[in-house]
Amino acid sequence: MESSDHLCSDVIFEILTRTSFETLSRCKLVCKSWNRVTYDSSFMNLFCRRTSTISGFFIQSMASNKYSSNFVSSHESSLPGLNVSLDFLPHNVKIEACSKQGILCCLSRRDRHFRYYVCKPSTRQLQSLPNPKMRYNTEKVAMVVLRSNPLRYKIFRLSSPRHLSTTKYYNYGCEIFDSDTWSWKQLQDILLPYGVIFTTNPTIFVCGTIHWLASNNNVLAFNEEQETYTTFPLPKPLCDDKLYTYKQLMEYQGRLALCCNTPEWSLELWVMEDYTDHVWKKRQVLSVESLKRVEPYSSPTLAAFCNADTALMMSFKKVIFYKMQEGNFKVIRMTDLNDPCEVFAFQSDLKPTDLRCGG
């Protein structure tokens, strides 16, 4: 029976590494074992090579009030001759959000003039969008692709809070762009307790819900289909212990996860096991002692997971791919990388798409 299960697992592995990029996302939802296969450390490398898929991260930083972005491949099977960059975009473009299908939402700024765009870097396609109401500054942006063929996507924008003297809340403006209607619509304000702001944590989209971390150790969860929101707390031990100064939301094997640094040069990984009741579980504690050879004075920060065993970590002008179980790592030096920086996980095929879609 054991050998039969092993054979079945090997067959599934082979099939999934040969499926299309679009189909793979649906296959992850079939069952836990299929989902687990796709996060195996060797899976994505083989999948990218067999399907001509790009997988990696855009690292964005700012210097002299100008944004720059560099792409770092997370797999050795990078397609030869393919340069993934944003050099085809207008002047001084900031990545605002990235979808799981290789579509970026960007904002271009020249003097006091702003313009929103969507683009597909792998095919160097660009499409301008109508601007939302720009009276208030942008706080958070998320992008979700709802359908690939024909393409349909939504962009969610939260704008800076407007405190009303008659309430005890911060009122964050909420707008949604739908590519089917090619227009923005205003929703009711999102209310958070007075003084609560969003952290610099990235946007995490899992289980049909957009997640942002707030300064009061709560997560704002926005359901993209119902267009409603709720909040729930981080694990209680992390809220009570002030030693956990660095906390970051991320995705781990398709689940909402939280990672934090400890004073002992280790990382704690918490995963939401029960989304209905918002139950967190500490999955593992990872030592990063071996990274002292790279950064002897400060612990690098965990930015994202490439798969179940490989983490992307950020240090001063360095990007580190860290094998968590083995303690091995690969360092990529980036001399033009400045702090602070943002990391956007990126996967894409090479097929052109109609970014204008419903518009």
Side-chain angles (χ1 to χ4, degrees), residues 174-191:
C174 183
E175 298 166 275
I176 298 179
F177 177 83
D178 190 332
S179 63
D180 267 6
T181 62
W182 206 249
S183 62
W184 294 86
K185 71 174 180 179
Q186 186 86 34
L187 299 186
Q188 288 187 342
D189 286 354
I190 288 178
L191 304 181

Side-chain angles (χ1 to χ4, degrees), residues 15 26 45 73 95 98 114-115 122 129 133 159 163 169 228 232 249 270 278-279 293 312 330 343 353:
I15 293 173
R26 296 197 294 267
N45 192 46
S73 176
I95 301 175
C98 179
F114 299 86
R115 172 59 62 188
S122 64
L129 300 176
K133 296 178 180 179
S159 55
H163 173 61
Y169 298 97
T228 58
F232 56 86
L249 290 182
W270 295 71
H278 301 135
V279 177
R293 285 178 283 163
L312 175 75
K330 174 185 177 183
V343 177
T353 189

Side-chain angles (χ1 to χ4, degrees), residues 118-135:
V118 289
C119 68
K120 187 170 184 178
S122 64
T123 55
R124 301 177 71 82
Q125 291 176 273
L126 173 69
Q127 175 63 55
S128 62
L129 300 176
N131 277 343
K133 296 178 180 179
M134 301 295 289
R135 180 182 175 186

